[in-house]
């Protein structure tokens, strides 16, 4: 097949297709701690033995999973499908260059397809044919061989109506409520909610793909660099529209930073201030990378640098994949915390659905928010659920210290995971519904003002700080990851939990419409109606008084 029929990205066409939106000055800070550099070595977690935590559950170790996904992504090409072309023809075309292993189509303002080849050579072959036919996309006089190509062969089937597979979109709350009403128990409803919300295989592939596309582009500057995803894209708690947190490890000498020579020319050079100060090196690196993404890397728009945050980052949107991305540097510790959450999510099958339900509940009730502010963010919220599961009468999760394969000195963690077998573990078959109820009791009764929570030790400690909520950063001794949370928010968490308990304890909880967890996500008006029907006056205050939250 003639290579010239597959076109390289043509800038003017793509700009029409994806006009660069104006920068949004309100784009958000990510306020996480930068003190991630205490981590030393890493090793792979191994599968659980029969007697181990998680009742014989086996799971793919985190690093193996990351490597597998990265390999898939690096053998994939992202195709823009023109109106007149179709997936079947594209697969035929691709198969003529090497075996296609996986393929899916998605819609993001236009039709796209991701094609994964069995071998990397097939990708190279297509790129070479395409790029030898055109002379555009030069970088410092070298061709950028991008893996985003346009497929434009006319097909007879393309004119028929094509389904629009939209991958990165959350379901609205109303639809979730309807869906979970088909569950056969409250626990089953909680599982259903997680299944509806969790990242799909396609969503995960797209997130790894964007990281390898950025990595390819950055390798023009740093030939050895790695761009790795972290956060909810990999920790098993990601929702369908979650952002892509990524981190670049430039793998270059100390003090070496990228600099812009002109609008489209970049080089790496030594800088004394960067050699003296790691934070300055990170800021300088990200400053140049933001220019590079904006000027040279296809489909990166809305580029915004936030260099004075605790953890400096560059935000951008990958237009073709429809993904919001946060690029950080010098942030390997965030990968360790992602691995930690991944392991917790795999140790017991109740953890992931419970976390999804609680995250959704908190979001619905205004306890979390994606904008920075007084809210508890998803990471510490997940830690709150973990510590609840560690500290209940029969622990469902082990202490972090029991997962770490080293003597633990307080400010220096050797964060490697041993063979996980042999933890003391009591059998426990509490249902998800009962765990949820217990979690709400925990939130209403826990003395947040005077006690802090430690995932590292799976315990509570005396909180003598001024923070109304203290959840220790598991990887950095005694650093609070909820510094931003106000007393008012903690009070709201407790009163919302009290309200949820009341709802769960109503006789109508199991047979009203909607029923079960659907009732936890009703509009205040609907809930009020039900309260009236249940003949409960001054409901919130009453429940609050019973639990001693409010004065009489
Ligand atoms: P989403 O809300 O779905 O994006 O969840 P997320 O887990 O990806 O959270 P976010 O994008 O805010 O942060 C990405 C990752 O950075 C987290 O998973 C953590 O590994 C790390 N992180 C976030 N907040 C903190 C924090 O306050 N302290 C520390 N130490 N790490 C954090
Ligand atoms: Mg995230």
């Amino acid at each position: 097949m003639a290579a010239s029929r597959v076109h390289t990205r043509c800038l003017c066409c793509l700009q029409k297709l994806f006009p660069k939106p104006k920068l949004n000055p309100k784009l958000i800070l990510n306020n996480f701690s930068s003190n991630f550099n205490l981590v030393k070595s890493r090793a792979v977690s191994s599968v659980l033995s029969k007697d181990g935590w998680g009742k014989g559950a086996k799971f793919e170790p985190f690093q193996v999973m990351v490597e597998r996904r990265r390999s898939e992504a690096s053998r994939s090409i992202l195709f823009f499908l023109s109106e007149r072309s179709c997936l079947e023809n594209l697969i035929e075309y691709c198969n003529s260059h090497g075996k296609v292993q996986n393929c899916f189509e998605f819609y993001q303002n236009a039709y796209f397809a991701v094609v994964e080849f069995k071998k990397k050579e097939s990708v190279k072959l297509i790129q070479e044919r395409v790029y030898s036919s055109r002379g555009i996309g030069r970088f410092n006089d070298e061709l950028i061989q991008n893996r985003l190509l346009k497929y434009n062969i006319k097909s007879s089937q393309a004119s028929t109506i094509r389904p629009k597979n939209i991958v990165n979109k959350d379901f609205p709350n109303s639809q979730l409520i309807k869906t979970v009403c088909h569950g056969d128990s409250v626990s089953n409803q909680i599982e259903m909610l997680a299944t509806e919300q969790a990242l799909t295989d396609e969503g995960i592939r797209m997130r790894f793909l964007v990281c390898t596309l950025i990595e390819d582009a950055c390798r023009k500057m740093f030939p050895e660099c790695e761009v790795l995803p972290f956060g909810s894209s990999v920790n098993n708690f990601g929702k369908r529209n979650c952002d892509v947190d990524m981190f670049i490890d430039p793998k270059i000498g100390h003090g070496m930073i990228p600099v812009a020579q002109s609008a489209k020319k970049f080089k790496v050079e030594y800088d004394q201030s960067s050699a003296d100060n790691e934070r300055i090196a990170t800021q300088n690196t990200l400053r140049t990378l933001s220019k590079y993404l904006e000027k040279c890397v296809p489909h990166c728009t809305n580029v915004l640098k936030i260099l004075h945050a605790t953890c400096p980052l560059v935000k951008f949107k990958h237009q073709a994949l429809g993904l919001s991305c946060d690029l950080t540097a010098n942030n390997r510790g965030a990968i360790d915390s992602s691995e930690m959450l991944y392991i917790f999510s795999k140790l017991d099958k109740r953890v992931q659905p419970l976390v999804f339900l609680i995250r959704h509940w908190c979001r619905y009730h205004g306890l979390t928010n994606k904008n920075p502010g007084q809210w508890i963010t998803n990471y510490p919220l997940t830690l709150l659920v973990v510590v609840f599961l560690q500290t209940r009468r029969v622990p469902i999760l082990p202490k972090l210290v029991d997962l770490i394969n080293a003597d633990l000195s307080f400010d220096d963690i050797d964060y490697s995971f041993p063979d996980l077998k042999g933890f003391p573990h009591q059998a426990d078959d509490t249902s998800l519904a009962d765990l949820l109820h217990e979690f709400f009791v925990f939130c209403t009764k826990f003395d947040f003002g005077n006690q802090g929570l430690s995932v590292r030790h799976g315990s509570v400690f005396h909180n003598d700080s001024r923070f109304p909520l203290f959840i220790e950063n598991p990887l950095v001794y005694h650093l609070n990851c909820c510094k931003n949370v106000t007393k008012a928010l903690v009070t709201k968490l407790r009163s919302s939990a009290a309200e949820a308990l009341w709802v769960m304890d109503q006789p109508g909880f199991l047979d009203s419409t909607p029923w079960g967890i659907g009732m936890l996500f009703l509009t205040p008006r609907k809930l009020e109606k039900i309260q009236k029907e249940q003949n409960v006056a001054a409901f919130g205050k009453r429940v609050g008084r019973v639990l001693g939250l409010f004065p009489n």
Side-chain angles (χ1 to χ4, degrees), residues 101-211:
Q101 189 131 294
N102 188 292
C103 176
F104 64 93
E105 191 183 50
F106 69 94
Y107 187 83
Q108 174 65 38
N109 297 327
Y111 290 94
F112 289 89
V114 176
V115 178
E116 182 207 337
F117 289 89
K118 189 156 189 264
K119 293 194 173 145
K120 225 172 175 169
E121 291 75 52
S122 317
V123 174
K124 278 214 169 107
L125 187 63
I126 292 191
Q127 281 180 316
E128 273 160 19
R129 286 195 176 173
V130 165
Y131 282 91
S132 61
S133 67
R134 293 210 161 192
I136 63 161
R138 287 182 179 275
F139 174 89
N140 285 0
D141 294 318
E142 269 175 51
L143 281 176
I144 300 180
Q145 298 213 344
N146 199 352
R147 281 187 286 129
L148 203 169
L149 307 173
K150 182 175 178 185
Y151 183 74
N152 193 19
I153 295 178
K154 193 168 182 215
S155 145
S156 50
Q157 298 156 40
S159 52
T160 57
I161 296 168
R162 301 154 81 178
K164 290 183 176 171
N165 176 24
I166 298 176
V167 177
N168 296 310
K169 199 172 169 212
D170 286 338
F171 295 111
N173 187 57
S174 53
Q175 194 175 329
L176 286 173
I177 293 182
K178 269 192 202 146
T179 307
V180 298
C181 282
H182 296 298
D184 53 26
S185 66
V186 175
S187 298
N188 180 232
Q189 287 187 315
I190 299 173
E191 282 164 354
M192 285 172 86
L193 184 109
T195 311
E196 290 297 302
Q197 289 197 314
L199 271 177
T200 58
D201 178 63
E202 294 170 355
I204 298 173
R205 282 173 183 274
M206 286 161 77
R207 282 162 174 77
F208 275 84
L209 180 59
V210 72
C211 290

Side-chain angles (χ1 to χ4, degrees), residues 69-86:
R69 291 287 186 184
R70 267 170 65 74
S71 159
E72 280 169 9
S74 66
R75 286 180 277 108
S76 300
I77 297 184
L78 175 60
F79 286 98
F80 163 65
L81 296 175
S82 72
E83 283 291 322
R84 44 194 223 130
S85 52
C86 79

Side-chain angles (χ1 to χ4, degrees), residues 161-438:
I161 296 168
R162 301 154 81 178
K164 290 183 176 171
N165 176 24
I166 298 176
V167 177
N168 296 310
K169 199 172 169 212
D170 286 338
F171 295 111
N173 187 57
S174 53
Q175 194 175 329
L176 286 173
I177 293 182
K178 269 192 202 146
T179 307
V180 298
C181 282
H182 296 298
D184 53 26
S185 66
V186 175
S187 298
N188 180 232
Q189 287 187 315
I190 299 173
E191 282 164 354
M192 285 172 86
L193 184 109
T195 311
E196 290 297 302
Q197 289 197 314
L199 271 177
T200 58
D201 178 63
E202 294 170 355
I204 298 173
R205 282 173 183 274
M206 286 161 77
R207 282 162 174 77
F208 275 84
L209 180 59
V210 72
C211 290
T212 61
L213 293 177
I214 300 300
E215 183 177 275
D216 282 0
C218 291
R219 282 192 175 176
K220 300 287 163 195
M221 234 181 265
F222 316 116
E224 305 283 309
C225 79
E226 274 185 346
V227 175
L228 298 166
F230 66 93
S232 55
S233 303
V234 291
N235 66 17
N236 227 2
F237 296 113
K239 275 173 60 172
R240 294 184 185 204
N241 79 340
C242 71
D243 63 354
V244 189
D245 302 291
M246 53 177 86
F247 131 85
I248 180 164
D249 181 354
K251 297 199 188 263
I252 43 167
H254 188 66
M256 300 299 286
I257 53 155
V259 286
Q261 289 176 293
S262 65
K264 292 204 171 180
K265 262 195 160 182
F266 297 85
K267 65 169 186 177
V268 174
E269 68 178 26
Y270 182 78
D271 172 61
Q272 189 59 50
S273 60
S274 300
D276 294 344
N277 185 321
E278 229 170 276
R279 183 170 164 86
I280 292 180
T282 304
Q283 288 170 327
N284 284 338
T285 302
L286 290 175
R287 187 174 295 110
T288 307
L289 283 179
S290 73
K291 278 190 199 145
Y292 180 55
L293 290 175
E294 195 164 23
K295 305 274 183 219
C296 302
V297 185
H299 288 255
C300 293
T301 62
N302 296 42
V303 181
L304 184 73
K305 47 182 190 295
I306 301 170
L307 302 180
H308 296 290
T310 322
C311 180
L313 74 151
V314 175
K315 284 183 164 289
F316 64 93
K317 173 117 194 212
H318 194 278
Q319 286 291 338
L321 288 165
L323 293 171
S324 301
C325 305
D326 285 358
L327 174 68
T328 55
N330 189 20
N331 195 12
R332 201 167 262 282
I335 295 186
D336 295 321
S337 53
S338 307
E339 180 172 6
M340 174 194 72
L341 289 188
Y342 173 86
I343 291 176
F344 280 134
S345 81
K346 296 284 185 182
L347 289 180
D348 189 293
K349 66 179 185 346
R350 292 165 289 186
V351 177
Q352 193 221 33
L354 188 65
V355 168
F356 267 97
L357 190 281
I358 291 168
R359 279 185 175 201
H360 188 66
W361 174 79
C362 282
R363 187 65 198 269
Y364 186 76
H365 291 278
L367 297 161
T368 52
N369 193 304
K370 63 179 165 47
N371 299 327
Q374 58 166 352
W375 300 281
I376 179 167
T377 57
N378 274 338
Y379 177 65
L381 180 60
T382 310
L383 296 179
L384 180 67
V385 182
V386 168
V387 92
F388 154 70
L389 293 171
Q390 290 171 322
T391 53
R392 67 190 289 277
R393 200 177 45 81
V394 180
I396 284 182
L397 286 176
K399 303 165 184 173
L400 178 62
V401 284
D402 289 342
L403 288 180
I404 292 171
N405 191 16
D407 282 346
L408 192 81
S409 70
F410 279 140
D411 50 2
D412 197 358
I413 293 183
D414 181 348
Y415 199 69
S416 64
F417 293 99
D419 186 357
L420 293 176
K421 68 175 175 256
F423 288 114
H425 178 237
Q426 274 176 272
D428 174 89
D429 54 8
T430 310
S431 70
L432 270 169
D434 287 342
L435 283 178
L436 180 66
H437 192 274
E438 248 185 61

Side-chain angles (χ1 to χ4, degrees), residues 467-478:
F467 300 119
L469 178 62
F470 199 129
I471 301 178
E472 187 191 64
N473 179 338
L475 301 182
V476 188
Y477 177 62
H478 231 64

